[in-house]
Amino acid sequence: MTDNDTLSTIFSALADPTRRAILSRLAEGEATVNELAEPFETKMTLPAISKHLKVLQNAGLITRSRDAQWRPCKLEATPLKDVSHWVEQYRHIWEQRFDQMDAYLGELQAKTKQEEDPDAEA
């Protein structure tokens, strides 16, 4: 898979709020499928949670191991680091745009003050 394909898979997995909630829980430490399902038990079945876990696993965001009958899930942070690096490439663009917007808002505020009090010096 190319980097873009990998990123597409990761972003697709992150697009769902349930999967993001699962990742947040796994950031605290390993958990079983049943433990991960607890917050969703009134809204979602265990097979539905398992499908979400499969998507996260396919994206490389979690790993699942086997310890007897216990199947702990673990967060894998490396793909999130890859996403962070990709987003970082665009930081300068949005910072530049925020700086431009800040300058524009400053101009508007100065103009408004001037219109409110024409005798005041700019």
Side-chain angles (χ1 to χ4, degrees):
M1 226 184 314
T2 67
D3 284 345
N4 285 337
D5 290 340
T6 302
L7 282 174
S8 294
T9 303
I10 294 168
F11 279 122
S12 179
L14 294 173
D16 186 276
T18 299
R19 291 192 285 266
R20 291 192 306 270
I22 290 170
L23 290 178
S24 292
R25 167 53 187 87
L26 290 174
E28 299 170 10
E30 288 185 0
T32 64
V33 174
N34 287 334
E35 291 169 337
L36 293 170
E38 281 177 17
F40 308 103
E41 64 188 359
T42 60
K43 302 174 194 167
M44 212 173 290
T45 64
L46 201 54
I49 292 295
S50 291
K51 286 181 183 180
H52 283 295
L53 293 174
K54 188 72 171 171
V55 171
L56 291 169
Q57 189 174 9
N58 288 340
L61 293 166
I62 68 168
T63 55
R64 296 171 78 176
S65 58
R66 185 179 297 261
D67 183 9
Q69 291 184 359
W70 192 57
R71 296 212 25 153
C73 298
K74 178 182 171 186
L75 176 68
E76 293 297 330
T78 302
L80 295 174
K81 188 176 180 182
D82 295 341
V83 169
S84 176
H85 287 308
W86 183 83
V87 170
E88 189 64 32
Q89 297 176 78
Y90 300 95
R91 177 183 295 280
H92 72 281
I93 295 170
W94 76 70
E95 286 178 348
Q96 180 183 22
R97 290 182 181 168
F98 283 140
D99 290 344
Q100 290 171 342
M101 185 170 56
D102 188 44
Y104 178 70
L105 291 173
E107 290 172 17
L108 287 178
Q109 288 174 338
K111 184 177 178 181
T112 301
K113 278 186 179 181
Q114 183 64 29
E115 289 173 355
E116 290 174 356
D117 188 3
D119 295 331
E121 292 183 28

